[in-house]
Amino acid sequence: MLGKILFPTSVVGAGQQAEGVLAEYQDVAWVDPNATNLVAEVSCTQPKTYSPTPETALKRADGRTIRIVAVDIGMKYNQIRCFVKRGVELVVVPWDYDFLTEADNIDGLFLSNGPGDPTTITATIDRVRQALAMKKFPIFGICLGHQVLALASGAQTEKMKYGNRGQNIPCTDMLTGRCYITSQNHGYAVKADTLPATIKELFINANDGSNEGIYHTELPYFSVQFHPESAPGPRDTEVLFDIFIGTVQRCLTSGQVSGPVEFPGMAEAAARKAQAAQWELDLADDDESADKAGRIVRGRRIRKVLVLGSGGLSIGQAGEFDYSGSQAIKALKEEGIYTVLINPNIATIQTSKGLADKCYFLPVTPDCVRKVIRHERPDGIYCTFGGQTALNIGVKLKDEFAGLGVQVLGTPIETIMVTEDREEFASAMAEIGEKCAKSHAASSIEEAVVAANDIGYPLIIRAAYALGGLGSGFASNEEELVALCRKAFAASPQVL
């Protein structure tokens, strides 16, 4: 129901009658923000140039710094930072600025985020439509800029019922199949079924299936609905700025504005698709009967999978593993894969009737897992949805799985071992250039004391291979360290 609020223009005396009170009120006209050009209220009014530092500036062949024109339709400052720190000159112009008169001096066009209904900014849409036809520079859009690019390409937008607003929203890359975690804040969306033939979906929302990105199949134009520049994070997709600038450099080097934008992982995805097709051909005659259910993984058709549950849990402990195991079983069933679960804990969702195809209420131990594998003869096994209990089983049976005829799915056991051994994990992080807190692995209290003196207090003590972090904690001095280590070494051979 819609209504109006009447605002008093003066303080009403206690003795006044209702008629007198109403006369002192002001009737406020109803304003529909969806019908208002909100962009005009938030856009800058004059062009402004942001330059990189001389040592980071990216130069053209003629010595000029690469110039990106950004149409401010509600631009966030962090978008400016993302460009400038990458060495480009950013010229920010108002929403209705005629940037086409300077087309010969533009190396790339950026369309920012902004508020409101995208169809209200017809001046911007018309200029972007002309820019598309000119084919003089690559184009990249974010949020409202994504919708403007779609409208200029001939597609349509629609008002969403609730919109997508928040962090940690999953989006699927349609070119590689990868899922990225994004930050979003929009109430309108591009209607994917109205995209022209040369425009394809780049991302879709993994929750509601709405469009989250588009790309041109023949020209270097692309855009995304989410915010890759999101300051609070997640920052999984900030690489899109590098991809855009790389595309600008490619076009400048070749002297041609042609070819689609090249996204990371495309070649690998194509290779995986070709490999999957080859496996289908290879297994066409070898498969048992004509049953094509399941998925082919590393050359083998997976029809039945054993999932290791977490076993007995204390109240408030590791409930996330019940959730992850339940979701894994649901996903496997959607793929037509028969699921077998080992979990003695009846007070979990994953052991509920009708979820797994078969459930063994047995302890998650090497002996029980070995017996179930021999009896059920599954094609694959998951050790990563049962917490520390299941991970330990994977490590203990890693040399037996091949002989038992079962293929480890998901995270390889070797990777699990690296992450469990704190010293190996720190070394692996260093190899790929990722930051990791200074640490030492110790196998005795004496070694722990020496390591603590080297690092300095306070310290975090973490026991390896321990269920629920048993024996872990904080130590502010040597006395607390020794007390923690005694507990940790009772449950684990190593502390970090």
Side-chain angles (χ1 to χ4, degrees):
M1 182 179 72
L2 298 178
K4 294 182 180 180
I5 299 177
L6 299 178
F7 295 93
T9 57
S10 63
V11 178
V12 179
Q16 285 188 282
Q17 298 298 316
E19 292 77 7
V21 172
L22 291 176
E24 296 295 321
Y25 277 67
Q26 176 183 359
D27 188 7
V28 179
W30 175 259
V31 177
D32 181 5
N34 294 321
T36 304
N37 182 354
L38 300 176
V39 169
E41 299 179 20
V42 299
S43 177
C44 63
T45 57
Q46 296 292 330
K48 185 174 182 178
T49 300
Y50 297 85
S51 301
T53 58
E55 56 271 17
T56 62
L58 299 177
K59 301 293 184 177
R60 294 164 30 118
D62 59 7
R64 176 170 67 78
T65 301
I66 292 177
R67 179 178 298 135
I68 304 296
V69 167
V71 182
D72 177 8
I73 47 180
M75 193 171 191
K76 293 182 180 293
Y77 278 118
N78 209 43
Q79 292 174 355
I80 298 174
R81 298 187 190 102
C82 284
F83 276 112
V84 174
K85 75 179 182 180
R86 286 171 168 80
V88 301
E89 179 183 89
L90 192 71
V91 181
V92 180
V93 300
W95 71 279
D96 57 352
Y97 186 84
D98 188 4
F99 54 84
L100 296 177
T101 59
E102 306 166 15
D104 291 337
N105 295 316
I106 298 176
D107 300 318
L109 178 65
F110 174 69
L111 309 172
S112 81
N113 66 289
D117 186 341
T119 60
T120 61
I121 50 175
T122 54
T124 308
I125 296 170
D126 289 341
R127 287 201 177 91
V128 173
R129 184 180 294 114
Q130 295 175 56
L132 293 173
M134 291 172 69
K135 304 178 184 179
K136 292 185 71 70
F137 38 73
I139 301 176
F140 174 35
I142 290 177
C143 195
L144 182 60
H146 160 65
Q147 297 162 13
V148 167
L149 182 63
L151 290 167
S153 300
Q156 299 174 18
T157 57
E158 61 183 343
K159 183 79 168 66
M160 305 179 77
K161 186 174 183 180
Y162 301 110
N164 282 319
R165 310 180 193 280
Q167 293 174 284
N168 301 329
I169 298 177
C171 289
T172 303
D173 181 342
M174 300 303 289
L175 296 175
T176 66
R178 292 177 179 175
C179 183
Y180 292 88
I181 304 302
T182 68
S183 179
Q184 300 188 20
N185 184 23
H186 62 99
Y188 287 82
V190 173
K191 297 177 68 175
D193 58 358
T194 66
L195 293 171
T198 55
I199 304 292
K200 303 294 183 184
E201 286 194 282
L202 179 56
F203 291 95
I204 62 169
N205 190 298
N207 289 334
D208 62 15
S210 60
N211 176 263
E212 295 284 356
I214 58 175
Y215 72 100
H216 199 290
T217 59
E218 300 172 1
L219 295 166
Y221 308 147
F222 75 107
S223 58
V224 293
Q225 181 63 71
F226 50 81
H227 287 268
E229 85 292 344
S230 175
R235 307 182 72 169
D236 296 28
T237 56
E238 193 176 318
V239 68
L240 292 174
F241 287 94
D242 298 298
I243 292 172
F244 176 56
I245 294 172
T247 301
V248 170
Q249 291 176 302
R250 170 174 66 83
C251 293
L252 288 173
T253 302
S254 66
Q256 295 181 329
V257 180
S258 61
V261 176
E262 298 175 359
F263 297 94
M266 289 178 62
E268 294 85 347
R272 289 195 301 270
K273 186 175 181 180
Q275 180 65 82
Q278 186 58 50
W279 281 336
E280 286 283 2
L281 292 174
D282 294 343
L283 294 176
D285 298 325
D286 296 340
D287 275 351
E288 300 172 7
S289 69
D291 184 9
K292 305 299 181 185
R295 278 288 191 96
I296 297 177
V297 180
R298 294 192 289 275
R300 179 178 178 179
R301 191 176 296 279
I302 304 297
R303 295 189 178 92
K304 181 190 285 191
V305 165
L306 175 62
V307 178
L308 302 185
S310 56
L313 301 173
S314 301
I315 293 176
Q317 177 192 23
E320 66 270 21
F321 298 122
D322 182 27
Y323 174 82
S324 64
S326 302
Q327 296 303 309
I329 292 169
K330 290 178 182 178
L332 290 167
K333 293 184 74 173
E334 287 178 2
E335 296 292 336
I337 297 173
Y338 189 91
T339 56
V340 180
L341 172 69
I342 301 179
N343 193 343
N345 191 345
I346 62 173
T348 58
I349 300 299
Q350 61 187 240
T351 55
S352 300
K353 183 179 179 181
L355 197 58
D357 292 295
K358 185 180 287 188
C359 182
Y360 284 86
F361 292 97
L362 295 172
V364 185
T365 63
D367 188 49
C368 288
V369 171
R370 199 179 290 115
K371 288 179 180 179
V372 171
I373 291 175
R374 287 172 177 159
H375 179 71
E376 290 290 341
R377 299 180 64 186
D379 302 304
I381 183 171
Y382 276 111
C383 304
T384 48
F385 298 109
Q388 195 65 54
T389 301
L391 294 178
N392 289 348
I393 295 298
V395 172
K396 291 177 181 177
L397 297 181
K398 69 181 181 67
D399 296 325
E400 298 184 40
F401 287 136
L404 292 168
V406 64
Q407 182 172 305
V408 176
L409 304 173
T411 307
I413 300 299
E414 292 75 14
T415 302
I416 293 173
M417 295 175 69
V418 169
T419 58
E420 291 286 3
D421 188 301
R422 308 303 171 176
E423 191 169 21
E424 287 191 33
F425 176 75
S427 298
M429 294 286 282
E431 287 178 7
I432 61 174
E434 287 293 334
K435 295 179 180 179
C436 188
K438 185 178 180 180
S439 62
H440 288 291
S443 54
S444 68
I445 293 178
E446 292 74 18
E447 289 182 11
V449 171
V450 173
N453 291 331
D454 177 54
I455 298 172
Y457 294 95
L459 295 165
I460 298 176
I461 312 302
R462 177 73 183 178
Y465 300 98
L467 179 64
L470 186 65
S472 302
F474 295 89
S476 300
N477 51 55
E478 185 173 322
E479 183 181 355
E480 293 179 2
L481 171 68
V482 172
L484 270 174
C485 285
R486 286 199 179 103
K487 294 180 181 179
F489 283 125
S492 172
Q494 183 194 70
V495 296
L496 183 70

